[in-house]
Amino acid sequence: MSNSNLSPSTPASSLPARSLKSIWHPCTQMKHHETLPLVPIVRGEGVWLYGPDGERYLDAIGSWWVNLFGHANPRIGAAIHDQLDRLEHVMLAGFTHEPVVRLSERLIGLVPGGLGHCFYSSDGASAIEIALKMSFHYWRNSGRPEKSGFVSLQNDYHGETLGALSVTDVALFKQTYAPLLRPSVHVPTPDWRCAEEGITPEAHARRAAAALEAHLAGHHAETAALIVEPLVQGAAGMGMYHPSYLSLARQICDRYDVHLIADEIAVGFGRTGTLFACEQADIAPDFLCLGKGLSGGYLPLSVTLTSDQVYQAFYRDETAQGFLHSHTHTGNILACRAALATLDILEQDKVIDANRARARYLNDAAKPIAAHPLVKNFRNCGMIWAFEVDAGDPGFADRFFQAAMAQGLVLRPLERTVYFMPPYVIGEGEMEQLVAGTLKALDSFG
Ligand SMILES: *Cc1c(COP(=O)(O)O)cnc(C)c1O
């Protein structure tokens, strides 16, 4: 590939030292990098990331859950190249372009029923902000401004801008900034790891739904929407739950006139085994937020889809009753081309079916991980695998990351939860390498 070498003016070996001073890295205590060097990456190919001296790492977490079809994917790359020579961007206020129209029509045809309107942004948190603002503004335009509160699940993650952080329930990200946030309510999670002994995942989901119902029975008049991460609560440590929670939540929201916002930013585009996680409960939300894999992980792109009923409540003569959210790069044409190429691959390669075989292979290969004495709750949903490691030290996540890198694997545990979210192009041999390397990393904690 043409990008296999760094340009001579950028010696790779000088990258870590310089970036340590000039770049403030995300989700990082920078001081830890005094002892833990940053890892320079110069190119990628398929599931592999390559360092400057040709060392390679299997990207088992899809570069923070975004990569669906491998790094330097030639089909997505070709679409972006083709677009780049014609138009890189035009603002979407007063203007339109064919890729954004085609992408919207395709998405509308693919998502669970009845969501016919797409509003674009660039990151997942913004897609959430947009859904929250739209839901609030819908009730206001409908003469019910008191419906302004939001409910989410205990342990939910919806991003870290102030509005998205308000409906997030991950203490590490939230506590410090709590005084800046609007209060919101977190109802019990259906995550089966939290179930009492002897309770099935389905029964646990029903109990959680009963708690949601009890809350909304008392507070629906001031509640605009319930927001959930369908089937898998990612940042909480890949907490998985029974789809019956989603069917019940849909019924409860309907009963109490509360919107349902499905945050499929992490789980959309086949990650849970169906194109969208909501399909497994046969429900359609009022708002669907997509991001991460939407562009195949290539370019920042997110979208909030909603129903005609919501759209119509804004369709008035008054500008101030229209939806007020102006994001400069909304509907960027390059990102739309990457997304269209991603949808092409999903369809043409029958990826959802192919992933079933992949998941079977990895589940089989991973039996020794499930049986490892330090491993608890080994679980799988579609193309997500996770387990907790019973290793008693608080620095586990950092130490496991290093142990995995020594095996040529990118694995970045969420506290004690190790997870795999590989690109869908992972081959059988690569899955075996993933399992063997994970076992070796685990053994170093024995
Ligand atoms: C990653 C994520 C977000 C936030 O997306 P960003 O692009 O990081 O802002 C929101 N919700 C879920 C479920 C996510 O996994």
Side-chain angles (χ1 to χ4, degrees):
M1 301 240 88
S2 58
N3 60 349
S4 59
N5 295 306
L6 274 180
S7 83
S9 61
T10 319
S13 52
S14 74
L15 281 174
R18 278 196 291 123
S19 53
L20 194 57
K21 292 229 186 324
S22 59
I23 298 169
W24 204 337
H25 289 262
C27 201
T28 298
Q29 173 48 268
M30 292 304 295
K31 191 166 195 292
H32 293 174
H33 281 306
E34 285 177 4
T35 48
L36 182 66
L38 286 154
V39 183
I41 297 298
V42 297
R43 72 180 186 96
E45 192 179 337
V47 297
W48 297 99
L49 292 168
Y50 289 83
D53 301 318
E55 67 277 33
R56 64 175 196 169
Y57 309 98
L58 198 163
D59 187 0
I61 59 167
S63 284
W64 257 354
W65 322 351
V66 300
N67 191 294
L68 300 190
F69 298 120
H71 296 282
N73 181 292
R75 287 147 88 184
I76 303 174
I80 297 173
H81 275 287
D82 177 65
Q83 184 57 50
L84 197 50
D85 295 334
R86 287 192 265 171
L87 177 65
E88 76 301 327
H89 182 70
V90 61
M91 65 190 208
L92 212 62
F95 296 88
T96 190
H97 52 75
E98 198 196 323
V100 78
V101 174
R102 279 199 289 134
L103 178 60
S104 306
E105 288 178 348
R106 279 179 81 178
L107 288 173
I108 288 164
L110 291 171
V111 300
L115 303 180
H117 306 276
C118 298
F119 195 102
Y120 289 91
S121 45
S122 299
D123 60 323
S126 294
I128 299 295
E129 301 281 344
I130 288 161
L132 299 176
K133 282 174 71 179
M134 265 187 191
S135 173
F136 164 82
H137 198 165
Y138 169 89
W139 294 116
R140 189 182 160 92
N141 280 356
S142 310
R144 301 173 74 180
E146 68 288 354
K147 282 174 81 66
S148 64
F150 299 107
V151 177
S152 62
L153 302 182
Q154 175 196 359
N155 303 335
D156 250 6
Y157 180 90
H158 299 291
E160 293 171 57
T161 53
L162 296 180
L165 193 56
S166 296
V167 291
T168 286
D169 184 38
V170 177
L172 175 66
F173 303 142
K174 187 160 185 174
Q175 256 164 12
T176 307
Y177 306 105
L180 299 177
L181 306 177
R182 201 164 171 267
S184 76
V185 173
H186 306 290
V187 290
T189 173
D191 177 351
W192 61 252
R193 291 174 304 169
C194 305
E196 281 167 38
E197 196 67 28
I199 302 289
T200 65
E202 182 165 13
H204 181 66
R206 287 183 181 281
R207 283 191 183 182
L212 168 66
E213 167 127 41
H215 175 76
L216 288 185
H219 298 279
H220 61 92
E222 66 263 22
T223 303
L226 165 71
I227 178 166
V228 298
E229 292 179 78
L231 294 188
V232 182
Q233 293 184 288
M238 302 299 156
M240 299 181 183
Y241 63 87
H242 196 276
S244 64
Y245 184 82
L246 295 174
S247 348
L248 292 167
R250 177 71 275 180
Q251 290 166 24
I252 295 164
C253 286
D254 286 342
R255 197 170 310 140
Y256 292 105
D257 237 1
V258 166
H259 287 142
L260 176 61
I261 303 172
D263 175 356
E264 296 221 15
I265 290 164
V267 295
F269 301 102
R271 195 46 84 174
T272 65
T274 44
L275 191 57
F276 298 103
C278 283
E279 290 170 32
Q280 295 186 40
D282 200 17
I283 59 148
D286 301 290
F287 298 89
L288 177 65
C289 301
L290 303 173
K292 292 199 168 113
L294 171 61
S295 69
Y298 262 66
L299 288 163
L301 182 68
S302 59
V303 63
T304 307
L305 289 109
T306 192
S307 66
D308 204 45
Q309 188 181 348
V310 169
Y311 181 77
Q312 290 303 335
F314 292 81
Y315 204 77
R316 309 277 167 84
D317 291 324
E318 288 292 309
T319 301
Q321 289 195 337
F323 183 56
L324 305 168
H325 191 91
S326 327
H327 166 51
T328 312
H329 273 102
T330 186
N332 175 261
I333 195 165
L334 291 168
C336 288
R337 288 295 301 270
L340 285 164
T342 299
L343 292 180
D344 285 343
I345 298 175
L346 270 163
E347 258 167 47
Q348 289 163 9
D349 295 5
K350 301 197 173 26
V351 169
I352 305 281
D353 289 340
N355 279 354
R356 267 187 217 116
R358 255 183 212 107
R360 267 197 306 275
Y361 192 90
L362 185 46
N363 275 326
D364 207 43
K367 279 182 181 146
I369 296 179
H372 193 280
L374 293 179
V375 167
K376 285 199 306 204
N377 301 331
F378 184 89
R379 57 196 180 277
N380 161 239
C381 177
M383 289 295 286
I384 307 174
W385 287 261
F387 54 89
E388 274 73 54
V389 179
D390 204 0
D393 77 292
F396 169 76
D398 280 348
R399 287 216 294 130
F400 193 89
F401 168 79
Q402 286 172 276
M405 285 294 277
Q407 299 301 324
L409 301 178
V410 182
L411 289 172
R412 204 169 178 278
L414 296 154
E415 297 186 4
R416 284 164 195 247
T417 306
V418 176
Y419 67 92
F420 306 150
M421 254 214 215
Y424 303 160
V425 293
I426 190 167
E428 293 182 354
E430 291 159 342
M431 292 191 248
E432 280 159 25
Q433 279 170 273
L434 174 56
V435 170
T438 302
L439 285 168
K440 283 210 180 116
L442 278 170
D443 285 340
S444 68
F445 287 83

